[in-house]
Amino acid sequence: MEEVIAFLKDLRCNNNREWFTANKSRYIAAQERFNAIVDELIREISLFDDSVIGLTARDCTYRIYRDVRFSADKSPYKTHMGAFICPGGRKSGNSGYYFHIGTGGEGYPYAHMLAAGDYCCDSKVLQILREDIVNGDGDFDRIVRAAAPMFVLDREGSLKRNPKGFEREELYADYLRLKAFCLVHIPTDEFVCADKLPHRVASLFSLTKPFLFYLNRAIAYVKNEY
């Protein structure tokens, strides 16, 4: 994975079309290496989650080209490579396993990241999740705690107060205020550059399978009902 990181670091320092065109062969080599890791990661995840069987890197990876139409940052290229592995592929609307290699620092997109869940939940899905949490006798809390300490909930953007219709004193109010349901882990350079990366990433992701099942159950309900 060192060659992928080296390319992305150089791209971060030379984020323009001229440099990228001159180094297109390096990009293709880095992309092929990343895609090979993703294909192997899918196979490893499928050993404990058969909902991703049949997917390939093509179904799960993102283009490196940024959409700058509505962004103040006009840099044309992303400085990370990412994949979202979920039932039906990244465009399915399901929650899944997210993995990326990058060059960032504090805050998204970080240098590297593992995440599980949905960072932009549909409002109907949010309502179902909140109802499930209130009526679930603590099952969601147990699921989140079982993934710790390797994964923590992303609470960025959480509501200041309980959403409408939920009591202020509700036992699991912190969960009800979430607008994104994501478990996050930030690995080191040493982790992503060591041997057997797909196996080690999948081993961590296995901790989050119950969390994803919980989310995808709500998503499936909304798809079927609406």
Side-chain angles (χ1 to χ4, degrees), residues 34-35 37-46 48-49 51-62 82-92 94-100 114-117 198 201-202 205 208 212 216:
F34 182 77
N35 287 354
I37 291 291
V38 172
D39 279 329
E40 191 172 346
L41 177 57
I42 293 169
R43 288 191 289 272
E44 290 281 351
I45 292 174
S46 71
F48 64 83
D49 185 345
S51 70
V52 305
I53 290 176
L55 294 176
T56 68
R58 184 181 182 88
D59 303 311
C60 305
T61 52
Y62 295 89
F84 187 55
I85 302 167
C86 68
R90 62 181 176 83
K91 295 182 179 180
S92 67
N94 293 313
S95 294
Y97 310 93
Y98 177 73
F99 165 66
H100 90 216
L114 309 182
V201 170
F205 275 149
T208 71
L212 289 182
N216 281 328

mmCIF file of all heavy atoms in Angstrom, residues 34-35 37-46 48-49 51-62 82-92 94-100 114-117 198 201-202 205 208 212 216:
data_model
loop_
_atom_site.group_PDB
_atom_site.id
_atom_site.type_symbol
_atom_site.label_atom_id
_atom_site.label_comp_id
_atom_site.label_asym_id
_atom_site.label_seq_id
_atom_site.Cartn_x
_atom_site.Cartn_y
_atom_site.Cartn_z
ATOM 1 N N PHE A 34 -5.147 -0.453 -5.368
ATOM 2 C CA PHE A 34 -6.234 -0.242 -4.418
ATOM 3 C C PHE A 34 -7.419 -1.146 -4.749
ATOM 4 O O PHE A 34 -8.016 -1.769 -3.858
ATOM 5 C CB PHE A 34 -6.661 1.223 -4.412
ATOM 6 C CG PHE A 34 -7.748 1.526 -3.425
ATOM 7 C CD1 PHE A 34 -7.464 1.646 -2.071
ATOM 8 C CD2 PHE A 34 -9.061 1.683 -3.848
ATOM 9 C CE1 PHE A 34 -8.470 1.904 -1.145
ATOM 10 C CE2 PHE A 34 -10.071 1.961 -2.930
ATOM 11 C CZ PHE A 34 -9.772 2.066 -1.580
ATOM 12 N N ASN A 35 -7.766 -1.240 -6.026
ATOM 13 C CA ASN A 35 -8.898 -2.076 -6.426
ATOM 14 C C ASN A 35 -8.659 -3.552 -6.094
ATOM 15 O O ASN A 35 -9.599 -4.262 -5.727
ATOM 16 C CB ASN A 35 -9.174 -1.919 -7.924
ATOM 17 C CG ASN A 35 -9.797 -0.580 -8.260
ATOM 18 O OD1 ASN A 35 -10.137 0.199 -7.377
ATOM 19 N ND2 ASN A 35 -9.946 -0.302 -9.540
ATOM 20 N N ILE A 37 -6.926 -4.641 -3.576
ATOM 21 C CA ILE A 37 -7.152 -4.737 -2.132
ATOM 22 C C ILE A 37 -8.644 -4.789 -1.841
ATOM 23 O O ILE A 37 -9.116 -5.571 -1.003
ATOM 24 C CB ILE A 37 -6.499 -3.546 -1.413
ATOM 25 C CG1 ILE A 37 -4.970 -3.635 -1.472
ATOM 26 C CG2 ILE A 37 -6.976 -3.449 0.035
ATOM 27 C CD1 ILE A 37 -4.382 -4.756 -0.649
ATOM 28 N N VAL A 38 -9.430 -3.957 -2.535
ATOM 29 C CA VAL A 38 -10.881 -3.928 -2.319
ATOM 30 C C VAL A 38 -11.513 -5.256 -2.705
ATOM 31 O O VAL A 38 -12.380 -5.788 -1.995
ATOM 32 C CB VAL A 38 -11.528 -2.764 -3.088
ATOM 33 C CG1 VAL A 38 -13.052 -2.838 -3.020
ATOM 34 C CG2 VAL A 38 -11.040 -1.425 -2.532
ATOM 35 N N ASP A 39 -11.116 -5.823 -3.834
ATOM 36 C CA ASP A 39 -11.657 -7.123 -4.248
ATOM 37 C C ASP A 39 -11.377 -8.192 -3.189
ATOM 38 O O ASP A 39 -12.251 -9.014 -2.868
ATOM 39 C CB ASP A 39 -11.054 -7.554 -5.585
ATOM 40 C CG ASP A 39 -11.728 -6.898 -6.779
ATOM 41 O OD1 ASP A 39 -12.936 -6.605 -6.692
ATOM 42 O OD2 ASP A 39 -11.047 -6.689 -7.796
ATOM 43 N N GLU A 40 -10.173 -8.166 -2.648
ATOM 44 C CA GLU A 40 -9.826 -9.139 -1.617
ATOM 45 C C GLU A 40 -10.600 -8.850 -0.329
ATOM 46 O O GLU A 40 -11.038 -9.778 0.371
ATOM 47 C CB GLU A 40 -8.319 -9.115 -1.360
ATOM 48 C CG GLU A 40 -7.840 -10.277 -0.509
ATOM 49 C CD GLU A 40 -6.323 -10.362 -0.414
ATOM 50 O OE1 GLU A 40 -5.630 -9.695 -1.206
ATOM 51 O OE2 GLU A 40 -5.847 -11.100 0.476
ATOM 52 N N LEU A 41 -10.783 -7.565 -0.016
ATOM 53 C CA LEU A 41 -11.540 -7.188 1.174
ATOM 54 C C LEU A 41 -12.987 -7.664 1.073
ATOM 55 O O LEU A 41 -13.561 -8.159 2.048
ATOM 56 C CB LEU A 41 -11.481 -5.673 1.373
ATOM 57 C CG LEU A 41 -12.285 -5.103 2.548
ATOM 58 C CD1 LEU A 41 -11.849 -5.739 3.867
ATOM 59 C CD2 LEU A 41 -12.111 -3.588 2.601
ATOM 60 N N ILE A 42 -13.582 -7.526 -0.108
ATOM 61 C CA ILE A 42 -14.954 -8.014 -0.313
ATOM 62 C C ILE A 42 -15.036 -9.510 -0.032
ATOM 63 O O ILE A 42 -15.962 -9.985 0.635
ATOM 64 C CB ILE A 42 -15.432 -7.698 -1.743
ATOM 65 C CG1 ILE A 42 -15.589 -6.188 -1.936
ATOM 66 C CG2 ILE A 42 -16.754 -8.408 -2.033
ATOM 67 C CD1 ILE A 42 -15.797 -5.769 -3.383
ATOM 68 N N ARG A 43 -14.058 -10.247 -0.525
ATOM 69 C CA ARG A 43 -14.049 -11.704 -0.291
ATOM 70 C C ARG A 43 -13.934 -12.015 1.199
ATOM 71 O O ARG A 43 -14.599 -12.931 1.712
ATOM 72 C CB ARG A 43 -12.919 -12.363 -1.066
ATOM 73 C CG ARG A 43 -13.147 -12.418 -2.578
ATOM 74 C CD ARG A 43 -12.136 -13.312 -3.261
ATOM 75 N NE ARG A 43 -10.808 -12.730 -3.270
ATOM 76 C CZ ARG A 43 -10.347 -11.919 -4.201
ATOM 77 N NH1 ARG A 43 -11.130 -11.569 -5.223
ATOM 78 N NH2 ARG A 43 -9.113 -11.439 -4.149
ATOM 79 N N GLU A 44 -13.110 -11.262 1.897
ATOM 80 C CA GLU A 44 -12.939 -11.487 3.339
ATOM 81 C C GLU A 44 -14.231 -11.147 4.103
ATOM 82 O O GLU A 44 -14.640 -11.880 5.011
ATOM 83 C CB GLU A 44 -11.774 -10.646 3.871
ATOM 84 C CG GLU A 44 -10.405 -11.095 3.407
ATOM 85 C CD GLU A 44 -9.883 -12.302 4.189
ATOM 86 O OE1 GLU A 44 -10.509 -12.674 5.201
ATOM 87 O OE2 GLU A 44 -8.857 -12.875 3.772
ATOM 88 N N ILE A 45 -14.859 -10.048 3.745
ATOM 89 C CA ILE A 45 -16.109 -9.662 4.417
ATOM 90 C C ILE A 45 -17.201 -10.691 4.145
ATOM 91 O O ILE A 45 -18.012 -11.005 5.024
ATOM 92 C CB ILE A 45 -16.550 -8.257 3.965
ATOM 93 C CG1 ILE A 45 -15.569 -7.200 4.481
ATOM 94 C CG2 ILE A 45 -17.970 -7.936 4.453
ATOM 95 C CD1 ILE A 45 -15.842 -5.793 3.958
ATOM 96 N N SER A 46 -17.228 -11.225 2.925
ATOM 97 C CA SER A 46 -18.280 -12.190 2.557
ATOM 98 C C SER A 46 -18.221 -13.460 3.399
ATOM 99 O O SER A 46 -19.206 -14.195 3.466
ATOM 100 C CB SER A 46 -18.176 -12.540 1.070
ATOM 101 O OG SER A 46 -17.037 -13.341 0.805
ATOM 102 N N PHE A 48 -18.178 -13.525 6.601
ATOM 103 C CA PHE A 48 -19.080 -13.352 7.742
ATOM 104 C C PHE A 48 -20.347 -12.574 7.388
ATOM 105 O O PHE A 48 -21.277 -12.511 8.190
ATOM 106 C CB PHE A 48 -18.359 -12.657 8.915
ATOM 107 C CG PHE A 48 -17.894 -11.250 8.634
ATOM 108 C CD1 PHE A 48 -18.747 -10.177 8.741
ATOM 109 C CD2 PHE A 48 -16.572 -11.017 8.280
ATOM 110 C CE1 PHE A 48 -18.313 -8.883 8.491
ATOM 111 C CE2 PHE A 48 -16.123 -9.730 8.028
ATOM 112 C CZ PHE A 48 -17.003 -8.658 8.132
ATOM 113 N N ASP A 49 -20.399 -12.008 6.170
ATOM 114 C CA ASP A 49 -21.584 -11.255 5.741
ATOM 115 C C ASP A 49 -21.867 -11.602 4.277
ATOM 116 O O ASP A 49 -21.273 -11.022 3.366
ATOM 117 C CB ASP A 49 -21.346 -9.758 5.916
ATOM 118 C CG ASP A 49 -22.577 -8.921 5.617
ATOM 119 O OD1 ASP A 49 -23.531 -9.453 5.005
ATOM 120 O OD2 ASP A 49 -22.605 -7.727 5.976
ATOM 121 N N SER A 51 -24.213 -10.900 2.416
ATOM 122 C CA SER A 51 -24.954 -9.904 1.625
ATOM 123 C C SER A 51 -24.075 -9.199 0.611
ATOM 124 O O SER A 51 -24.589 -8.528 -0.298
ATOM 125 C CB SER A 51 -25.604 -8.863 2.546
ATOM 126 O OG SER A 51 -24.636 -8.027 3.149
ATOM 127 N N VAL A 52 -22.741 -9.333 0.716
ATOM 128 C CA VAL A 52 -21.840 -8.663 -0.230
ATOM 129 C C VAL A 52 -21.249 -9.629 -1.247
ATOM 130 O O VAL A 52 -20.431 -9.224 -2.077
ATOM 131 C CB VAL A 52 -20.710 -7.900 0.505
ATOM 132 C CG1 VAL A 52 -21.297 -6.914 1.508
ATOM 133 C CG2 VAL A 52 -19.743 -8.856 1.193
ATOM 134 N N ILE A 53 -21.660 -10.883 -1.187
ATOM 135 C CA ILE A 53 -21.157 -11.860 -2.156
ATOM 136 C C ILE A 53 -21.539 -11.424 -3.575
ATOM 137 O O ILE A 53 -22.675 -11.025 -3.836
ATOM 138 C CB ILE A 53 -21.729 -13.262 -1.863
ATOM 139 C CG1 ILE A 53 -21.119 -13.819 -0.575
ATOM 140 C CG2 ILE A 53 -21.461 -14.218 -3.017
ATOM 141 C CD1 ILE A 53 -21.703 -15.163 -0.148
ATOM 142 N N GLY A 54 -20.572 -11.513 -4.493
ATOM 143 C CA GLY A 54 -20.817 -11.147 -5.889
ATOM 144 C C GLY A 54 -20.392 -9.740 -6.248
ATOM 145 O O GLY A 54 -20.313 -9.403 -7.436
ATOM 146 N N LEU A 55 -20.136 -8.895 -5.240
ATOM 147 C CA LEU A 55 -19.674 -7.537 -5.534
ATOM 148 C C LEU A 55 -18.222 -7.551 -6.003
ATOM 149 O O LEU A 55 -17.454 -8.454 -5.676
ATOM 150 C CB LEU A 55 -19.779 -6.656 -4.287
ATOM 151 C CG LEU A 55 -21.169 -6.350 -3.740
ATOM 152 C CD1 LEU A 55 -21.055 -5.546 -2.447
ATOM 153 C CD2 LEU A 55 -21.998 -5.585 -4.771
ATOM 154 N N THR A 56 -17.842 -6.533 -6.758
ATOM 155 C CA THR A 56 -16.456 -6.317 -7.148
ATOM 156 C C THR A 56 -16.057 -4.888 -6.814
ATOM 157 O O THR A 56 -16.913 -4.062 -6.461
ATOM 158 C CB THR A 56 -16.251 -6.550 -8.661
ATOM 159 O OG1 THR A 56 -16.946 -5.511 -9.386
ATOM 160 C CG2 THR A 56 -16.776 -7.911 -9.084
ATOM 161 N N ALA A 57 -14.781 -4.588 -6.934
ATOM 162 C CA ALA A 57 -14.310 -3.223 -6.675
ATOM 163 C C ALA A 57 -15.060 -2.216 -7.541
ATOM 164 O O ALA A 57 -15.345 -1.093 -7.099
ATOM 165 C CB ALA A 57 -12.808 -3.130 -6.929
ATOM 166 N N ARG A 58 -15.400 -2.596 -8.750
ATOM 167 C CA ARG A 58 -16.118 -1.695 -9.655
ATOM 168 C C ARG A 58 -17.462 -1.248 -9.066
ATOM 169 O O ARG A 58 -17.911 -0.128 -9.296
ATOM 170 C CB ARG A 58 -16.343 -2.387 -10.999
ATOM 171 C CG ARG A 58 -16.997 -1.515 -12.062
ATOM 172 C CD ARG A 58 -17.207 -2.303 -13.349
ATOM 173 N NE ARG A 58 -17.793 -1.494 -14.393
ATOM 174 C CZ ARG A 58 -17.118 -0.750 -15.255
ATOM 175 N NH1 ARG A 58 -15.801 -0.741 -15.188
ATOM 176 N NH2 ARG A 58 -17.722 -0.042 -16.185
ATOM 177 N N ASP A 59 -18.094 -2.112 -8.298
ATOM 178 C CA ASP A 59 -19.383 -1.802 -7.689
ATOM 179 C C ASP A 59 -19.251 -0.886 -6.473
ATOM 180 O O ASP A 59 -20.263 -0.315 -6.026
ATOM 181 C CB ASP A 59 -20.088 -3.084 -7.220
ATOM 182 C CG ASP A 59 -20.290 -4.083 -8.333
ATOM 183 O OD1 ASP A 59 -20.792 -3.670 -9.406
ATOM 184 O OD2 ASP A 59 -19.943 -5.266 -8.143
ATOM 185 N N CYS A 60 -18.044 -0.761 -5.933
ATOM 186 C CA CYS A 60 -17.883 -0.164 -4.613
ATOM 187 C C CYS A 60 -16.962 1.046 -4.561
ATOM 188 O O CYS A 60 -17.016 1.819 -3.584
ATOM 189 C CB CYS A 60 -17.341 -1.219 -3.639
ATOM 190 S SG CYS A 60 -18.339 -2.724 -3.540
ATOM 191 N N THR A 61 -16.099 1.231 -5.546
ATOM 192 C CA THR A 61 -15.111 2.311 -5.487
ATOM 193 C C THR A 61 -15.637 3.595 -6.106
ATOM 194 O O THR A 61 -16.609 3.598 -6.856
ATOM 195 C CB THR A 61 -13.814 1.893 -6.189
ATOM 196 O OG1 THR A 61 -14.116 1.403 -7.503
ATOM 197 C CG2 THR A 61 -13.090 0.809 -5.398
ATOM 198 N N TYR A 62 -14.946 4.693 -5.785
ATOM 199 C CA TYR A 62 -15.344 6.028 -6.231
ATOM 200 C C TYR A 62 -14.315 6.599 -7.209
ATOM 201 O O TYR A 62 -13.124 6.264 -7.153
ATOM 202 C CB TYR A 62 -15.454 6.970 -5.028
ATOM 203 C CG TYR A 62 -16.538 6.606 -4.063
ATOM 204 C CD1 TYR A 62 -16.289 5.737 -3.003
ATOM 205 C CD2 TYR A 62 -17.824 7.127 -4.182
ATOM 206 C CE1 TYR A 62 -17.290 5.389 -2.096
ATOM 207 C CE2 TYR A 62 -18.829 6.799 -3.284
ATOM 208 C CZ TYR A 62 -18.555 5.927 -2.255
ATOM 209 O OH TYR A 62 -19.554 5.602 -1.376
ATOM 210 N N GLY A 82 -11.313 5.557 -1.952
ATOM 211 C CA GLY A 82 -12.264 4.949 -1.042
ATOM 212 C C GLY A 82 -13.159 3.922 -1.699
ATOM 213 O O GLY A 82 -13.343 3.912 -2.924
ATOM 214 N N ALA A 83 -13.721 3.054 -0.852
ATOM 215 C CA ALA A 83 -14.667 2.035 -1.312
ATOM 216 C C ALA A 83 -15.765 1.881 -0.274
ATOM 217 O O ALA A 83 -15.495 1.884 0.935
ATOM 218 C CB ALA A 83 -13.958 0.705 -1.527
ATOM 219 N N PHE A 84 -17.000 1.740 -0.756
ATOM 220 C CA PHE A 84 -18.156 1.525 0.109
ATOM 221 C C PHE A 84 -18.767 0.183 -0.262
ATOM 222 O O PHE A 84 -19.357 0.032 -1.339
ATOM 223 C CB PHE A 84 -19.163 2.653 -0.071
ATOM 224 C CG PHE A 84 -20.321 2.607 0.897
ATOM 225 C CD1 PHE A 84 -20.104 2.577 2.260
ATOM 226 C CD2 PHE A 84 -21.627 2.609 0.432
ATOM 227 C CE1 PHE A 84 -21.155 2.539 3.152
ATOM 228 C CE2 PHE A 84 -22.694 2.579 1.309
ATOM 229 C CZ PHE A 84 -22.463 2.547 2.683
ATOM 230 N N ILE A 85 -18.603 -0.784 0.616
ATOM 231 C CA ILE A 85 -19.004 -2.169 0.349
ATOM 232 C C ILE A 85 -20.317 -2.446 1.061
ATOM 233 O O ILE A 85 -20.368 -2.504 2.292
ATOM 234 C CB ILE A 85 -17.904 -3.140 0.819
ATOM 235 C CG1 ILE A 85 -16.580 -2.819 0.123
ATOM 236 C CG2 ILE A 85 -18.311 -4.587 0.575
ATOM 237 C CD1 ILE A 85 -15.367 -3.515 0.736
ATOM 238 N N CYS A 86 -21.386 -2.585 0.294
ATOM 239 C CA CYS A 86 -22.699 -2.791 0.896
ATOM 240 C C CYS A 86 -23.565 -3.627 -0.042
ATOM 241 O O CYS A 86 -23.254 -3.738 -1.237
ATOM 242 C CB CYS A 86 -23.382 -1.458 1.189
ATOM 243 S SG CYS A 86 -23.847 -0.526 -0.280
ATOM 244 N N PRO A 87 -24.639 -4.227 0.469
ATOM 245 C CA PRO A 87 -25.515 -5.020 -0.397
ATOM 246 C C PRO A 87 -26.003 -4.205 -1.592
ATOM 247 O O PRO A 87 -26.546 -3.121 -1.440
ATOM 248 C CB PRO A 87 -26.684 -5.385 0.530
ATOM 249 C CG PRO A 87 -26.127 -5.295 1.911
ATOM 250 C CD PRO A 87 -25.110 -4.196 1.869
ATOM 251 N N GLY A 88 -25.758 -4.722 -2.796
ATOM 252 C CA GLY A 88 -26.191 -4.016 -3.999
ATOM 253 C C GLY A 88 -25.209 -2.999 -4.525
ATOM 254 O O GLY A 88 -25.445 -2.390 -5.570
ATOM 255 N N GLY A 89 -24.090 -2.765 -3.833
ATOM 256 C CA GLY A 89 -23.110 -1.783 -4.289
ATOM 257 C C GLY A 89 -23.370 -0.400 -3.736
ATOM 258 O O GLY A 89 -24.410 -0.119 -3.137
ATOM 259 N N ARG A 90 -22.426 0.493 -3.975
ATOM 260 C CA ARG A 90 -22.432 1.801 -3.325
ATOM 261 C C ARG A 90 -23.616 2.685 -3.696
ATOM 262 O O ARG A 90 -23.922 3.641 -2.973
ATOM 263 C CB ARG A 90 -21.135 2.543 -3.639
ATOM 264 C CG ARG A 90 -20.899 2.843 -5.107
ATOM 265 C CD ARG A 90 -19.576 3.568 -5.320
ATOM 266 N NE ARG A 90 -19.292 3.783 -6.719
ATOM 267 C CZ ARG A 90 -19.767 4.793 -7.445
ATOM 268 N NH1 ARG A 90 -20.564 5.683 -6.877
ATOM 269 N NH2 ARG A 90 -19.465 4.918 -8.729
ATOM 270 N N LYS A 91 -24.304 2.399 -4.794
ATOM 271 C CA LYS A 91 -25.438 3.227 -5.203
ATOM 272 C C LYS A 91 -26.782 2.660 -4.740
ATOM 273 O O LYS A 91 -27.831 3.189 -5.090
ATOM 274 C CB LYS A 91 -25.450 3.382 -6.726
ATOM 275 C CG LYS A 91 -24.253 4.137 -7.283
ATOM 276 C CD LYS A 91 -24.356 4.293 -8.793
ATOM 277 C CE LYS A 91 -23.172 5.058 -9.372
ATOM 278 N NZ LYS A 91 -23.285 5.217 -10.855
ATOM 279 N N SER A 92 -26.762 1.615 -3.937
ATOM 280 C CA SER A 92 -27.989 0.906 -3.579
ATOM 281 C C SER A 92 -28.829 1.624 -2.536
ATOM 282 O O SER A 92 -30.017 1.333 -2.387
ATOM 283 C CB SER A 92 -27.637 -0.490 -3.055
ATOM 284 O OG SER A 92 -26.945 -0.389 -1.817
ATOM 285 N N ASN A 94 -28.134 1.296 0.647
ATOM 286 C CA ASN A 94 -27.977 0.519 1.876
ATOM 287 C C ASN A 94 -26.782 1.002 2.688
ATOM 288 O O ASN A 94 -25.872 1.647 2.164
ATOM 289 C CB ASN A 94 -27.790 -0.963 1.541
ATOM 290 C CG ASN A 94 -29.031 -1.576 0.936
ATOM 291 O OD1 ASN A 94 -30.131 -1.378 1.444
ATOM 292 N ND2 ASN A 94 -28.871 -2.323 -0.150
ATOM 293 N N SER A 95 -26.789 0.673 3.961
ATOM 294 C CA SER A 95 -25.629 0.928 4.802
ATOM 295 C C SER A 95 -24.559 -0.110 4.507
ATOM 296 O O SER A 95 -24.854 -1.221 4.050
ATOM 297 C CB SER A 95 -26.013 0.867 6.274
ATOM 298 O OG SER A 95 -26.886 1.913 6.611
ATOM 299 N N GLY A 96 -23.301 0.244 4.789
ATOM 300 C CA GLY A 96 -22.241 -0.690 4.475
ATOM 301 C C GLY A 96 -20.935 -0.366 5.150
ATOM 302 O O GLY A 96 -20.863 0.445 6.083
ATOM 303 N N TYR A 97 -19.886 -1.018 4.652
ATOM 304 C CA TYR A 97 -18.527 -0.894 5.178
ATOM 305 C C TYR A 97 -17.737 0.070 4.284
ATOM 306 O O TYR A 97 -17.648 -0.141 3.080
ATOM 307 C CB TYR A 97 -17.842 -2.253 5.185
ATOM 308 C CG TYR A 97 -18.635 -3.362 5.821
ATOM 309 C CD1 TYR A 97 -19.463 -4.183 5.037
ATOM 310 C CD2 TYR A 97 -18.558 -3.608 7.187
ATOM 311 C CE1 TYR A 97 -20.193 -5.215 5.609
ATOM 312 C CE2 TYR A 97 -19.288 -4.642 7.765
ATOM 313 C CZ TYR A 97 -20.107 -5.436 6.974
ATOM 314 O OH TYR A 97 -20.826 -6.454 7.538
ATOM 315 N N TYR A 98 -17.162 1.105 4.882
ATOM 316 C CA TYR A 98 -16.408 2.091 4.112
ATOM 317 C C TYR A 98 -14.932 2.025 4.509
ATOM 318 O O TYR A 98 -14.590 1.963 5.695
ATOM 319 C CB TYR A 98 -16.945 3.492 4.362
ATOM 320 C CG TYR A 98 -16.160 4.576 3.641
ATOM 321 C CD1 TYR A 98 -16.272 4.736 2.264
ATOM 322 C CD2 TYR A 98 -15.293 5.423 4.334
ATOM 323 C CE1 TYR A 98 -15.547 5.708 1.594
ATOM 324 C CE2 TYR A 98 -14.572 6.405 3.673
ATOM 325 C CZ TYR A 98 -14.695 6.543 2.306
ATOM 326 O OH TYR A 98 -13.967 7.508 1.647
ATOM 327 N N PHE A 99 -14.078 2.057 3.477
ATOM 328 C CA PHE A 99 -12.632 1.957 3.690
ATOM 329 C C PHE A 99 -11.942 2.938 2.768
ATOM 330 O O PHE A 99 -12.234 2.974 1.574
ATOM 331 C CB PHE A 99 -12.186 0.525 3.374
ATOM 332 C CG PHE A 99 -10.706 0.332 3.204
ATOM 333 C CD1 PHE A 99 -9.838 0.511 4.271
ATOM 334 C CD2 PHE A 99 -10.182 -0.053 1.977
ATOM 335 C CE1 PHE A 99 -8.472 0.321 4.116
ATOM 336 C CE2 PHE A 99 -8.821 -0.258 1.809
ATOM 337 C CZ PHE A 99 -7.967 -0.065 2.887
ATOM 338 N N HIS A 100 -11.057 3.780 3.330
ATOM 339 C CA HIS A 100 -10.278 4.614 2.423
ATOM 340 C C HIS A 100 -8.851 4.832 2.908
ATOM 341 O O HIS A 100 -8.553 4.763 4.098
ATOM 342 C CB HIS A 100 -11.003 5.925 2.094
ATOM 343 C CG HIS A 100 -10.742 7.090 2.985
ATOM 344 N ND1 HIS A 100 -11.718 8.000 3.300
ATOM 345 C CD2 HIS A 100 -9.624 7.558 3.599
ATOM 346 C CE1 HIS A 100 -11.221 8.942 4.069
ATOM 347 N NE2 HIS A 100 -9.957 8.703 4.262
ATOM 348 N N LEU A 114 -11.760 3.656 8.481
ATOM 349 C CA LEU A 114 -12.720 2.569 8.380
ATOM 350 C C LEU A 114 -14.015 3.075 9.000
ATOM 351 O O LEU A 114 -13.997 3.693 10.062
ATOM 352 C CB LEU A 114 -12.258 1.329 9.142
ATOM 353 C CG LEU A 114 -10.844 0.794 8.896
ATOM 354 C CD1 LEU A 114 -10.623 -0.465 9.723
ATOM 355 C CD2 LEU A 114 -10.629 0.510 7.433
ATOM 356 N N ALA A 115 -15.113 2.821 8.360
ATOM 357 C CA ALA A 115 -16.403 3.247 8.906
ATOM 358 C C ALA A 115 -17.465 2.235 8.511
ATOM 359 O O ALA A 115 -17.343 1.538 7.497
ATOM 360 C CB ALA A 115 -16.776 4.642 8.405
ATOM 361 N N ALA A 116 -18.492 2.168 9.321
ATOM 362 C CA ALA A 116 -19.622 1.290 9.025
ATOM 363 C C ALA A 116 -20.899 2.042 9.326
ATOM 364 O O ALA A 116 -21.024 2.651 10.393
ATOM 365 C CB ALA A 116 -19.544 0.011 9.854
ATOM 366 N N GLY A 117 -21.833 2.043 8.370
ATOM 367 C CA GLY A 117 -23.100 2.702 8.616
ATOM 368 C C GLY A 117 -23.559 3.549 7.464
ATOM 369 O O GLY A 117 -23.334 3.233 6.301
ATOM 370 N N PRO A 198 -6.360 -6.734 3.861
ATOM 371 C CA PRO A 198 -7.791 -7.051 3.741
ATOM 372 C C PRO A 198 -8.308 -7.926 4.886
ATOM 373 O O PRO A 198 -9.412 -7.715 5.386
ATOM 374 C CB PRO A 198 -7.883 -7.766 2.394
ATOM 375 C CG PRO A 198 -6.712 -7.258 1.619
ATOM 376 C CD PRO A 198 -5.622 -7.100 2.630
ATOM 377 N N VAL A 201 -8.541 -5.692 8.059
ATOM 378 C CA VAL A 201 -9.664 -4.749 7.967
ATOM 379 C C VAL A 201 -10.985 -5.492 8.141
ATOM 380 O O VAL A 201 -11.881 -5.045 8.871
ATOM 381 C CB VAL A 201 -9.634 -4.004 6.619
ATOM 382 C CG1 VAL A 201 -10.917 -3.205 6.417
ATOM 383 C CG2 VAL A 201 -8.424 -3.068 6.555
ATOM 384 N N ALA A 202 -11.123 -6.631 7.488
ATOM 385 C CA ALA A 202 -12.360 -7.411 7.602
ATOM 386 C C ALA A 202 -12.588 -7.873 9.039
ATOM 387 O O ALA A 202 -13.736 -7.912 9.513
ATOM 388 C CB ALA A 202 -12.320 -8.602 6.657
ATOM 389 N N PHE A 205 -14.099 -5.008 10.724
ATOM 390 C CA PHE A 205 -15.461 -4.787 10.231
ATOM 391 C C PHE A 205 -16.442 -5.829 10.781
ATOM 392 O O PHE A 205 -17.638 -5.547 10.910
ATOM 393 C CB PHE A 205 -15.492 -4.808 8.706
ATOM 394 C CG PHE A 205 -15.154 -3.496 8.060
ATOM 395 C CD1 PHE A 205 -14.518 -3.472 6.818
ATOM 396 C CD2 PHE A 205 -15.491 -2.298 8.653
ATOM 397 C CE1 PHE A 205 -14.216 -2.266 6.208
ATOM 398 C CE2 PHE A 205 -15.190 -1.083 8.051
ATOM 399 C CZ PHE A 205 -14.556 -1.064 6.822
ATOM 400 N N THR A 208 -18.781 -4.807 13.410
ATOM 401 C CA THR A 208 -19.851 -3.857 13.088
ATOM 402 C C THR A 208 -21.027 -4.502 12.355
ATOM 403 O O THR A 208 -22.000 -3.813 12.043
ATOM 404 C CB THR A 208 -19.308 -2.699 12.225
ATOM 405 O OG1 THR A 208 -18.998 -3.185 10.901
ATOM 406 C CG2 THR A 208 -18.068 -2.082 12.843
ATOM 407 N N LEU A 212 -24.750 -2.797 11.254
ATOM 408 C CA LEU A 212 -25.238 -2.636 9.885
ATOM 409 C C LEU A 212 -26.561 -3.371 9.677
ATOM 410 O O LEU A 212 -27.441 -2.872 8.966
ATOM 411 C CB LEU A 212 -24.199 -3.136 8.885
ATOM 412 C CG LEU A 212 -22.950 -2.282 8.723
ATOM 413 C CD1 LEU A 212 -22.038 -2.885 7.666
ATOM 414 C CD2 LEU A 212 -23.301 -0.855 8.347
ATOM 415 N N ASN A 216 -29.788 -1.573 8.199
ATOM 416 C CA ASN A 216 -30.356 -2.034 6.934
ATOM 417 C C ASN A 216 -31.768 -2.598 7.106
ATOM 418 O O ASN A 216 -32.559 -2.589 6.165
ATOM 419 C CB ASN A 216 -29.431 -3.050 6.273
ATOM 420 C CG ASN A 216 -28.268 -2.391 5.560
ATOM 421 O OD1 ASN A 216 -28.403 -1.283 5.039
ATOM 422 N ND2 ASN A 216 -27.127 -3.060 5.532
#
